[in-house]
Amino acid sequence: MKVYIITGASKGIGKSTAIKLSHDNPGDLYIILARDLSKLIETKKLMHVDSNVITKPIDLSDSDKVIKLIRSIGDEYGRIDYLINVAGYVNPKSLLETTVENWEMTFKVNILSVFVLTREAVRFMKKTGGKILNVASTAGLSSRPGWSAYSSSKAALISFSKTMSDELEEYGIKSYVVSPGRCATDLRKQLAPEEDPTTIMQPEEVADVISNLMGENGNNLDGQNIIIRKQL
Ligand SMILES: NC(=O)c1ccc[n+]([C@@H]2O[C@H](COP(=O)([O-])OP(=O)(O)OC[C@H]3O[C@@H](n4cnc5c(N)ncnc54)[C@H](OP(=O)(O)O)[C@@H]3O)[C@@H](O)[C@H]2O)c1
């Protein structure tokens, strides 16, 4: 039985990813994380009935809690095979309106937590090999006026993921980074409130790509930033 940890599983892309992976790989153990327990329970109800699903509410901006949680998961189950970092935070503001707290929270959730989760999970994953996938953004690749904290954090995540791909190769751990474009979720609504969500990519489409990468199809693709965009 393989052990998956999926962050951001209460809604959007993380929820769709948890559902898709559980249907593609029933019988495995899925530990799904986010702050909102009631929404995690909704996700669990939609996952494959033969999958073992454990909901763990946690605020990823609290590094000490993240460290404790991952160590307890590793100690209890003895292995961590897949770490899928989907959670993300944005509070778009112009430079002059961006507070230090906004910048700190954006970086805590979007990159610091990924570093902590990765470091702690690798302590266990290095025994068996495994896969780590980070959800960055096309915003990390080009200018986004008004979203400087978010886009900078995603650029950092792309860089971190590529470094992990090289650094963790010796343990048989693959590190992936995907950068979705516009996708119909609550986070996107904050960035583009006027946009019609039916005209853009759906979270299930991103989840399909992630599930593919976690399977054998992804074995030769780690280390590069994979852009996922709806072809209009
Ligand atoms: N939607 C897009 O257009 C788009 C494009 C490119 C990249 N992305 C990336 O895709 C990822 C998923 O976002 P989404 O679009 O699916 O947005 P979403 O529906 O708003 O989901 C965001 C997820 O992150 C979790 N999260 C946020 N802050 C957290 C915290 N402090 N602790 C724990 N969990 C936290 C949320 O859970 P709780 O609120 O329950 O804690 C939720 O599950 C993000 O990394 C985002 O940057 C999205």
Side-chain angles (χ1 to χ4, degrees):
M1 185 184 63
K2 298 285 172 65
V3 177
Y4 292 71
I5 298 175
I6 305 168
T7 74
S10 59
K11 55 186 181 164
I13 295 169
K15 176 179 184 177
S16 296
T17 299
I19 294 167
K20 174 72 177 160
L21 281 167
S22 74
H23 285 271
D24 287 351
N25 312 281
D28 283 339
L29 173 67
Y30 296 86
I31 300 161
I32 58 173
L33 316 184
R35 286 167 302 181
D36 190 327
L37 177 60
S38 61
K39 288 210 174 86
L40 284 175
I41 292 169
E42 281 173 32
T43 302
K44 179 176 177 173
K45 284 185 191 151
L46 297 170
M47 292 175 71
H48 196 285
V49 285
D50 292 337
S51 295
N52 192 356
V53 182
I54 295 171
T55 55
K56 292 274 184 194
I58 184 164
D59 184 342
L60 292 177
S61 69
D62 186 333
S63 297
D64 290 341
K65 284 193 180 143
V66 174
I67 291 169
K68 272 190 203 136
L69 176 65
I70 302 304
R71 289 186 183 174
S72 71
I73 291 169
D75 287 342
E76 185 165 356
Y77 302 106
R79 61 188 298 156
I80 296 172
D81 298 280
Y82 298 91
L83 170 65
I84 303 173
N85 293 305
V86 189
Y89 174 84
V90 70
N91 182 6
K93 298 280 180 206
S94 69
L95 173 69
L96 297 182
E97 289 176 335
T98 302
T99 60
V100 169
E101 290 74 22
N102 179 337
W103 190 273
E104 281 177 348
M105 183 54 75
T106 308
F107 271 71
K108 273 184 182 173
V109 177
N110 293 358
I111 177 72
L112 180 65
S113 80
V114 175
F115 148 68
V116 174
L117 284 154
T118 302
R119 190 189 67 189
E120 296 307 314
V122 165
R123 296 189 200 283
F124 298 94
M125 200 181 272
K126 69 181 191 176
K127 297 179 207 154
T128 55
K131 289 186 174 182
I132 299 170
L133 182 139
N134 299 323
V135 177
S137 170
T138 50
L141 298 167
S142 54
S143 157
R144 291 291 192 282
W147 314 358
S148 62
Y150 180 73
S151 57
S152 308
S153 72
K154 292 299 186 178
L157 182 57
I158 292 166
S159 172
F160 176 71
S161 307
K162 288 182 175 175
T163 299
M164 287 304 103
S165 176
D166 290 337
E167 189 170 331
L168 302 180
E169 194 179 359
E170 65 171 300
Y171 304 129
I173 298 173
K174 291 183 177 293
S175 170
Y176 298 81
V177 55
V178 298
S179 286
R182 302 176 301 154
C183 180
T185 67
D186 287 352
L187 183 142
R188 178 67 196 174
K189 252 181 240 158
Q190 274 181 273
L191 294 169
E194 307 303 326
E195 187 175 62
D196 175 357
T198 64
T199 62
I200 59 174
M201 186 163 64
Q202 300 302 306
E204 294 78 12
E205 296 177 84
V206 180
D208 283 352
V209 176
I210 294 176
S211 186
N212 236 315
L213 290 171
M214 295 300 93
E216 280 185 15
N217 289 343
N219 285 353
N220 300 321
L221 282 169
D222 67 317
Q224 49 196 296
N225 180 30
I226 298 169
I227 294 171
I228 311 171
R229 257 201 196 115
K230 188 179 175 84
Q231 302 300 319
L232 298 170

